[in-house]
mmCIF file of all heavy atoms in Angstrom:
data_model
loop_
_atom_site.group_PDB
_atom_site.id
_atom_site.type_symbol
_atom_site.label_atom_id
_atom_site.label_comp_id
_atom_site.label_asym_id
_atom_site.label_seq_id
_atom_site.Cartn_x
_atom_site.Cartn_y
_atom_site.Cartn_z
ATOM 1 N N GLN A 300 40.942 37.464 -26.560
ATOM 2 C CA GLN A 300 40.508 36.995 -25.188
ATOM 3 C C GLN A 300 40.694 35.458 -25.185
ATOM 4 O O GLN A 300 41.010 34.989 -24.144
ATOM 5 C CB GLN A 300 38.984 37.462 -25.119
ATOM 6 C CG GLN A 300 38.485 37.080 -23.711
ATOM 7 C CD GLN A 300 37.041 37.395 -23.689
ATOM 8 O OE1 GLN A 300 36.303 37.793 -24.674
ATOM 9 N NE2 GLN A 300 36.390 37.273 -22.540
ATOM 10 N N LEU A 301 40.326 34.795 -26.279
ATOM 11 C CA LEU A 301 40.452 33.400 -26.267
ATOM 12 C C LEU A 301 41.875 32.852 -26.134
ATOM 13 O O LEU A 301 42.201 31.884 -25.640
ATOM 14 C CB LEU A 301 39.775 32.763 -27.530
ATOM 15 C CG LEU A 301 38.257 32.908 -27.576
ATOM 16 C CD1 LEU A 301 37.762 32.520 -28.966
ATOM 17 C CD2 LEU A 301 37.641 32.049 -26.493
ATOM 18 N N LYS A 302 42.796 33.689 -26.816
ATOM 19 C CA LYS A 302 44.183 33.204 -26.730
ATOM 20 C C LYS A 302 44.750 33.285 -25.366
ATOM 21 O O LYS A 302 45.589 32.537 -25.054
ATOM 22 C CB LYS A 302 45.076 34.177 -27.626
ATOM 23 C CG LYS A 302 45.062 33.894 -29.071
ATOM 24 C CD LYS A 302 45.996 34.696 -29.842
ATOM 25 C CE LYS A 302 45.638 34.750 -31.258
ATOM 26 N NZ LYS A 302 46.467 35.710 -32.064
ATOM 27 N N LYS A 303 44.248 34.183 -24.525
ATOM 28 C CA LYS A 303 44.704 34.319 -23.203
ATOM 29 C C LYS A 303 43.898 33.425 -22.175
ATOM 30 O O LYS A 303 44.217 33.438 -21.023
ATOM 31 C CB LYS A 303 44.669 35.713 -22.670
ATOM 32 C CG LYS A 303 45.415 36.680 -23.567
ATOM 33 C CD LYS A 303 45.624 38.024 -22.843
ATOM 34 C CE LYS A 303 46.131 39.043 -23.835
ATOM 35 N NZ LYS A 303 45.108 39.896 -24.352
ATOM 36 N N ALA A 304 42.922 32.742 -22.685
ATOM 37 C CA ALA A 304 42.049 32.034 -21.667
ATOM 38 C C ALA A 304 42.606 30.685 -21.312
ATOM 39 O O ALA A 304 43.337 30.036 -22.122
ATOM 40 C CB ALA A 304 40.660 31.846 -22.368
ATOM 41 N N LYS A 305 42.190 30.299 -20.158
ATOM 42 C CA LYS A 305 42.589 28.923 -19.673
ATOM 43 C C LYS A 305 41.481 28.407 -19.002
ATOM 44 O O LYS A 305 40.875 28.974 -18.014
ATOM 45 C CB LYS A 305 43.751 29.160 -18.630
ATOM 46 C CG LYS A 305 44.414 27.828 -18.302
ATOM 47 C CD LYS A 305 45.722 28.102 -17.494
ATOM 48 C CE LYS A 305 46.064 26.799 -16.876
ATOM 49 N NZ LYS A 305 47.464 26.592 -17.006
ATOM 50 N N GLY A 306 41.038 27.136 -19.316
ATOM 51 C CA GLY A 306 39.945 26.520 -18.691
ATOM 52 C C GLY A 306 39.397 25.401 -19.509
ATOM 53 O O GLY A 306 39.762 25.150 -20.651
ATOM 54 N N GLU A 307 38.467 24.639 -18.901
ATOM 55 C CA GLU A 307 37.870 23.499 -19.670
ATOM 56 C C GLU A 307 36.365 23.660 -19.460
ATOM 57 O O GLU A 307 35.825 24.118 -18.464
ATOM 58 C CB GLU A 307 38.395 22.196 -19.151
ATOM 59 C CG GLU A 307 38.290 22.023 -17.735
ATOM 60 C CD GLU A 307 39.137 20.811 -17.278
ATOM 61 O OE1 GLU A 307 39.491 20.004 -18.063
ATOM 62 O OE2 GLU A 307 39.199 20.589 -16.035
ATOM 63 N N GLY A 308 35.649 23.181 -20.496
ATOM 64 C CA GLY A 308 34.193 23.309 -20.454
ATOM 65 C C GLY A 308 33.558 22.230 -21.218
ATOM 66 O O GLY A 308 34.084 21.648 -22.159
ATOM 67 N N ILE A 309 32.377 21.874 -20.815
ATOM 68 C CA ILE A 309 31.521 20.874 -21.511
ATOM 69 C C ILE A 309 30.299 21.628 -22.085
ATOM 70 O O ILE A 309 29.656 22.437 -21.394
ATOM 71 C CB ILE A 309 30.999 19.762 -20.490
ATOM 72 C CG1 ILE A 309 32.140 19.181 -19.841
ATOM 73 C CG2 ILE A 309 30.205 18.869 -21.306
ATOM 74 C CD1 ILE A 309 31.661 18.133 -18.875
ATOM 75 N N GLY A 310 29.972 21.279 -23.293
ATOM 76 C CA GLY A 310 28.732 21.877 -23.869
ATOM 77 C C GLY A 310 27.866 20.747 -24.407
ATOM 78 O O GLY A 310 28.321 19.964 -25.121
ATOM 79 N N ARG A 311 26.584 20.762 -24.027
ATOM 80 C CA ARG A 311 25.627 19.780 -24.391
ATOM 81 C C ARG A 311 24.451 20.334 -25.092
ATOM 82 O O ARG A 311 24.000 21.487 -24.756
ATOM 83 C CB ARG A 311 25.147 18.900 -23.305
ATOM 84 C CG ARG A 311 26.165 18.231 -22.540
ATOM 85 C CD ARG A 311 25.756 17.761 -21.179
ATOM 86 N NE ARG A 311 24.934 16.514 -21.249
ATOM 87 C CZ ARG A 311 24.053 16.056 -20.409
ATOM 88 N NH1 ARG A 311 23.692 16.825 -19.402
ATOM 89 N NH2 ARG A 311 23.470 14.998 -20.573
ATOM 90 N N HIS A 312 23.945 19.627 -26.114
ATOM 91 C CA HIS A 312 22.709 20.211 -26.781
ATOM 92 C C HIS A 312 21.880 18.977 -27.281
ATOM 93 O O HIS A 312 22.404 17.890 -27.560
ATOM 94 C CB HIS A 312 23.234 20.976 -28.042
ATOM 95 C CG HIS A 312 22.069 21.304 -29.025
ATOM 96 N ND1 HIS A 312 20.994 22.085 -28.636
ATOM 97 C CD2 HIS A 312 21.892 21.063 -30.335
ATOM 98 C CE1 HIS A 312 20.145 22.266 -29.565
ATOM 99 N NE2 HIS A 312 20.676 21.629 -30.644
ATOM 100 N N GLU A 313 20.582 19.136 -27.223
ATOM 101 C CA GLU A 313 19.647 18.136 -27.594
ATOM 102 C C GLU A 313 19.449 18.254 -29.109
ATOM 103 O O GLU A 313 18.608 19.048 -29.478
ATOM 104 C CB GLU A 313 18.359 18.303 -26.812
ATOM 105 C CG GLU A 313 17.373 17.126 -27.139
ATOM 106 C CD GLU A 313 17.680 15.752 -26.566
ATOM 107 O OE1 GLU A 313 18.470 15.745 -25.618
ATOM 108 O OE2 GLU A 313 17.218 14.763 -27.075
ATOM 109 N N ALA A 314 20.261 17.605 -29.942
ATOM 110 C CA ALA A 314 20.046 17.653 -31.374
ATOM 111 C C ALA A 314 18.839 16.845 -31.759
ATOM 112 O O ALA A 314 18.343 16.066 -30.906
ATOM 113 C CB ALA A 314 21.239 17.154 -32.155
ATOM 114 N N PRO A 315 18.416 16.860 -33.005
ATOM 115 C CA PRO A 315 17.214 16.115 -33.384
ATOM 116 C C PRO A 315 17.492 14.594 -33.141
ATOM 117 O O PRO A 315 16.531 13.865 -32.933
ATOM 118 C CB PRO A 315 17.111 16.319 -34.894
ATOM 119 C CG PRO A 315 17.714 17.713 -35.067
ATOM 120 C CD PRO A 315 18.705 17.874 -34.087
ATOM 121 N N ARG A 316 18.679 14.126 -33.180
ATOM 122 C CA ARG A 316 18.938 12.694 -32.983
ATOM 123 C C ARG A 316 19.375 12.320 -31.501
ATOM 124 O O ARG A 316 19.449 11.107 -31.205
ATOM 125 C CB ARG A 316 20.194 12.234 -33.853
ATOM 126 C CG ARG A 316 19.708 12.165 -35.289
ATOM 127 C CD ARG A 316 20.823 12.045 -36.194
ATOM 128 N NE ARG A 316 20.325 11.938 -37.581
ATOM 129 C CZ ARG A 316 19.800 12.975 -38.203
ATOM 130 N NH1 ARG A 316 19.861 14.174 -37.657
ATOM 131 N NH2 ARG A 316 19.340 12.845 -39.424
ATOM 132 N N GLY A 317 19.549 13.340 -30.715
ATOM 133 C CA GLY A 317 19.877 12.991 -29.351
ATOM 134 C C GLY A 317 20.897 13.925 -28.793
ATOM 135 O O GLY A 317 20.983 15.093 -29.192
ATOM 136 N N GLU A 318 21.650 13.562 -27.787
ATOM 137 C CA GLU A 318 22.526 14.403 -27.117
ATOM 138 C C GLU A 318 23.904 14.582 -27.778
ATOM 139 O O GLU A 318 24.547 13.568 -28.185
ATOM 140 C CB GLU A 318 22.823 13.774 -25.702
ATOM 141 C CG GLU A 318 23.934 14.585 -24.889
ATOM 142 C CD GLU A 318 24.567 13.673 -23.880
ATOM 143 O OE1 GLU A 318 24.495 12.494 -23.965
ATOM 144 O OE2 GLU A 318 25.146 14.189 -23.005
ATOM 145 N N VAL A 319 24.229 15.728 -28.172
ATOM 146 C CA VAL A 319 25.606 16.128 -28.700
ATOM 147 C C VAL A 319 26.395 16.659 -27.507
ATOM 148 O O VAL A 319 25.909 17.561 -26.825
ATOM 149 C CB VAL A 319 25.405 17.169 -29.787
ATOM 150 C CG1 VAL A 319 26.852 17.619 -30.261
ATOM 151 C CG2 VAL A 319 24.651 16.652 -30.964
ATOM 152 N N ILE A 320 27.574 16.229 -27.381
ATOM 153 C CA ILE A 320 28.438 16.741 -26.235
ATOM 154 C C ILE A 320 29.830 17.142 -26.817
ATOM 155 O O ILE A 320 30.367 16.328 -27.560
ATOM 156 C CB ILE A 320 28.527 15.775 -25.068
ATOM 157 C CG1 ILE A 320 29.337 16.374 -23.987
ATOM 158 C CG2 ILE A 320 29.093 14.477 -25.485
ATOM 159 C CD1 ILE A 320 29.310 15.469 -22.699
ATOM 160 N N HIS A 321 30.203 18.325 -26.487
ATOM 161 C CA HIS A 321 31.617 18.758 -26.840
ATOM 162 C C HIS A 321 32.301 19.072 -25.595
ATOM 163 O O HIS A 321 31.800 19.720 -24.773
ATOM 164 C CB HIS A 321 31.521 19.928 -27.760
ATOM 165 C CG HIS A 321 31.158 19.686 -29.208
ATOM 166 N ND1 HIS A 321 31.922 20.245 -30.232
ATOM 167 C CD2 HIS A 321 30.178 19.027 -29.759
ATOM 168 C CE1 HIS A 321 31.409 19.713 -31.397
ATOM 169 N NE2 HIS A 321 30.346 19.086 -31.085
ATOM 170 N N TYR A 322 33.671 18.724 -25.623
ATOM 171 C CA TYR A 322 34.568 19.109 -24.484
ATOM 172 C C TYR A 322 35.680 19.808 -25.061
ATOM 173 O O TYR A 322 36.312 19.354 -26.023
ATOM 174 C CB TYR A 322 34.913 17.799 -23.806
ATOM 175 C CG TYR A 322 36.090 18.079 -22.849
ATOM 176 C CD1 TYR A 322 35.853 18.696 -21.688
ATOM 177 C CD2 TYR A 322 37.349 17.627 -23.168
ATOM 178 C CE1 TYR A 322 36.897 18.836 -20.772
ATOM 179 C CE2 TYR A 322 38.410 17.808 -22.315
ATOM 180 C CZ TYR A 322 38.208 18.470 -21.133
ATOM 181 O OH TYR A 322 39.235 18.626 -20.326
ATOM 182 N N VAL A 323 35.957 21.010 -24.467
ATOM 183 C CA VAL A 323 37.023 21.871 -24.936
ATOM 184 C C VAL A 323 37.973 22.150 -23.814
ATOM 185 O O VAL A 323 37.482 22.577 -22.715
ATOM 186 C CB VAL A 323 36.366 23.163 -25.553
ATOM 187 C CG1 VAL A 323 37.597 24.121 -25.826
ATOM 188 C CG2 VAL A 323 35.807 22.828 -26.825
ATOM 189 N N LYS A 324 39.262 22.224 -24.115
ATOM 190 C CA LYS A 324 40.180 22.611 -23.007
ATOM 191 C C LYS A 324 41.097 23.639 -23.634
ATOM 192 O O LYS A 324 41.821 23.374 -24.666
ATOM 193 C CB LYS A 324 41.030 21.407 -22.600
ATOM 194 C CG LYS A 324 42.013 21.908 -21.388
ATOM 195 C CD LYS A 324 42.500 20.590 -20.746
ATOM 196 C CE LYS A 324 43.391 21.116 -19.617
ATOM 197 N NZ LYS A 324 44.140 19.946 -19.048
ATOM 198 N N LEU A 325 41.104 24.785 -23.024
ATOM 199 C CA LEU A 325 41.850 25.909 -23.607
ATOM 200 C C LEU A 325 43.122 26.170 -22.719
ATOM 201 O O LEU A 325 42.968 26.050 -21.552
ATOM 202 C CB LEU A 325 41.162 27.273 -23.685
ATOM 203 C CG LEU A 325 39.894 27.182 -24.613
ATOM 204 C CD1 LEU A 325 39.098 28.424 -24.386
ATOM 205 C CD2 LEU A 325 40.342 27.088 -26.050
ATOM 206 N N ASN A 326 44.219 26.410 -23.259
ATOM 207 C CA ASN A 326 45.463 26.576 -22.447
ATOM 208 C C ASN A 326 46.318 27.677 -22.880
ATOM 209 O O ASN A 326 47.533 27.417 -23.179
ATOM 210 C CB ASN A 326 46.217 25.203 -22.484
ATOM 211 C CG ASN A 326 47.086 25.059 -21.314
ATOM 212 O OD1 ASN A 326 47.178 25.972 -20.414
ATOM 213 N ND2 ASN A 326 47.751 23.945 -21.214
ATOM 214 N N GLU A 327 45.763 28.837 -22.896
ATOM 215 C CA GLU A 327 46.496 30.054 -23.183
ATOM 216 C C GLU A 327 47.300 29.999 -24.560
ATOM 217 O O GLU A 327 48.462 30.424 -24.673
ATOM 218 C CB GLU A 327 47.516 30.355 -22.183
ATOM 219 C CG GLU A 327 46.791 30.885 -20.923
ATOM 220 C CD GLU A 327 47.809 30.872 -19.744
ATOM 221 O OE1 GLU A 327 48.880 30.385 -19.829
ATOM 222 O OE2 GLU A 327 47.411 31.572 -18.799
ATOM 223 N N SER A 328 46.713 29.403 -25.586
ATOM 224 C CA SER A 328 47.378 29.415 -26.861
ATOM 225 C C SER A 328 46.273 29.576 -27.964
ATOM 226 O O SER A 328 45.067 29.534 -27.578
ATOM 227 C CB SER A 328 48.156 28.054 -27.065
ATOM 228 O OG SER A 328 47.420 27.287 -27.965
ATOM 229 N N GLU A 329 46.628 29.729 -29.137
ATOM 230 C CA GLU A 329 45.678 30.029 -30.059
ATOM 231 C C GLU A 329 44.795 28.823 -30.450
ATOM 232 O O GLU A 329 43.643 28.929 -30.803
ATOM 233 C CB GLU A 329 46.378 30.499 -31.428
ATOM 234 C CG GLU A 329 45.383 31.037 -32.439
ATOM 235 C CD GLU A 329 46.075 31.565 -33.672
ATOM 236 O OE1 GLU A 329 47.276 31.616 -33.698
ATOM 237 O OE2 GLU A 329 45.342 31.945 -34.592
ATOM 238 N N PHE A 330 45.424 27.667 -30.326
ATOM 239 C CA PHE A 330 44.688 26.394 -30.643
ATOM 240 C C PHE A 330 44.226 25.731 -29.410
ATOM 241 O O PHE A 330 44.985 25.667 -28.435
ATOM 242 C CB PHE A 330 45.510 25.505 -31.505
ATOM 243 C CG PHE A 330 46.165 26.158 -32.755
ATOM 244 C CD1 PHE A 330 47.487 25.969 -32.959
ATOM 245 C CD2 PHE A 330 45.349 26.941 -33.580
ATOM 246 C CE1 PHE A 330 48.067 26.546 -34.105
ATOM 247 C CE2 PHE A 330 45.937 27.529 -34.686
ATOM 248 C CZ PHE A 330 47.271 27.393 -34.904
ATOM 249 N N PRO A 331 43.107 25.142 -29.352
ATOM 250 C CA PRO A 331 42.692 24.494 -28.153
ATOM 251 C C PRO A 331 43.531 23.270 -27.960
ATOM 252 O O PRO A 331 44.006 22.635 -28.883
ATOM 253 C CB PRO A 331 41.194 24.094 -28.450
ATOM 254 C CG PRO A 331 41.049 24.089 -29.924
ATOM 255 C CD PRO A 331 42.057 25.157 -30.424
ATOM 256 N N GLU A 332 43.685 22.938 -26.566
ATOM 257 C CA GLU A 332 44.594 21.846 -26.328
ATOM 258 C C GLU A 332 43.808 20.427 -26.608
ATOM 259 O O GLU A 332 44.347 19.552 -27.112
ATOM 260 C CB GLU A 332 44.953 21.791 -24.854
ATOM 261 C CG GLU A 332 45.942 20.839 -24.488
ATOM 262 C CD GLU A 332 46.472 20.946 -23.080
ATOM 263 O OE1 GLU A 332 46.360 22.096 -22.582
ATOM 264 O OE2 GLU A 332 46.904 19.986 -22.554
ATOM 265 N N VAL A 333 42.557 20.502 -26.234
ATOM 266 C CA VAL A 333 41.702 19.218 -26.486
ATOM 267 C C VAL A 333 40.417 19.783 -27.057
ATOM 268 O O VAL A 333 39.780 20.621 -26.564
ATOM 269 C CB VAL A 333 41.440 18.587 -25.153
ATOM 270 C CG1 VAL A 333 40.715 17.216 -25.496
ATOM 271 C CG2 VAL A 333 42.660 18.251 -24.438
ATOM 272 N N TRP A 334 39.946 19.002 -28.063
ATOM 273 C CA TRP A 334 38.506 19.255 -28.554
ATOM 274 C C TRP A 334 37.958 17.878 -28.760
ATOM 275 O O TRP A 334 38.535 17.111 -29.580
ATOM 276 C CB TRP A 334 38.623 20.022 -29.806
ATOM 277 C CG TRP A 334 37.180 20.178 -30.467
ATOM 278 C CD1 TRP A 334 36.026 20.311 -29.850
ATOM 279 C CD2 TRP A 334 36.921 20.063 -31.843
ATOM 280 N NE1 TRP A 334 35.021 20.369 -30.824
ATOM 281 C CE2 TRP A 334 35.565 20.212 -31.940
ATOM 282 C CE3 TRP A 334 37.725 19.942 -33.071
ATOM 283 C CZ2 TRP A 334 34.932 20.149 -33.194
ATOM 284 C CZ3 TRP A 334 37.040 19.878 -34.155
ATOM 285 C CH2 TRP A 334 35.672 20.020 -34.323
ATOM 286 N N LYS A 335 36.926 17.485 -28.152
ATOM 287 C CA LYS A 335 36.334 16.234 -28.282
ATOM 288 C C LYS A 335 34.857 16.463 -28.806
ATOM 289 O O LYS A 335 34.074 17.244 -28.103
ATOM 290 C CB LYS A 335 36.354 15.489 -27.014
ATOM 291 C CG LYS A 335 35.649 14.104 -27.175
ATOM 292 C CD LYS A 335 36.604 13.037 -27.570
ATOM 293 C CE LYS A 335 35.931 11.840 -28.061
ATOM 294 N NZ LYS A 335 36.524 11.335 -29.289
ATOM 295 N N ALA A 336 34.377 15.957 -29.857
ATOM 296 C CA ALA A 336 33.133 16.079 -30.365
ATOM 297 C C ALA A 336 32.492 14.734 -30.308
ATOM 298 O O ALA A 336 33.005 13.853 -30.927
ATOM 299 C CB ALA A 336 33.101 16.695 -31.786
#
Side-chain angles (χ1 to χ4, degrees):
Chain A
Q300 186 185 7
L301 292 171
K302 277 189 204 175
K303 303 197 189 94
K305 189 171 168 138
E307 52 189 353
I309 303 178
R311 299 164 83 204
H312 169 58
E313 182 75 20
R316 284 167 181 75
E318 172 204 20
V319 174
I320 180 169
H321 280 234
Y322 166 74
V323 170
K324 181 167 182 186
L325 299 169
N326 204 359
E327 288 174 346
S328 103
E329 188 176 357
F330 308 133
E332 188 175 337
V333 186
W334 173 42
K335 179 90 198 136

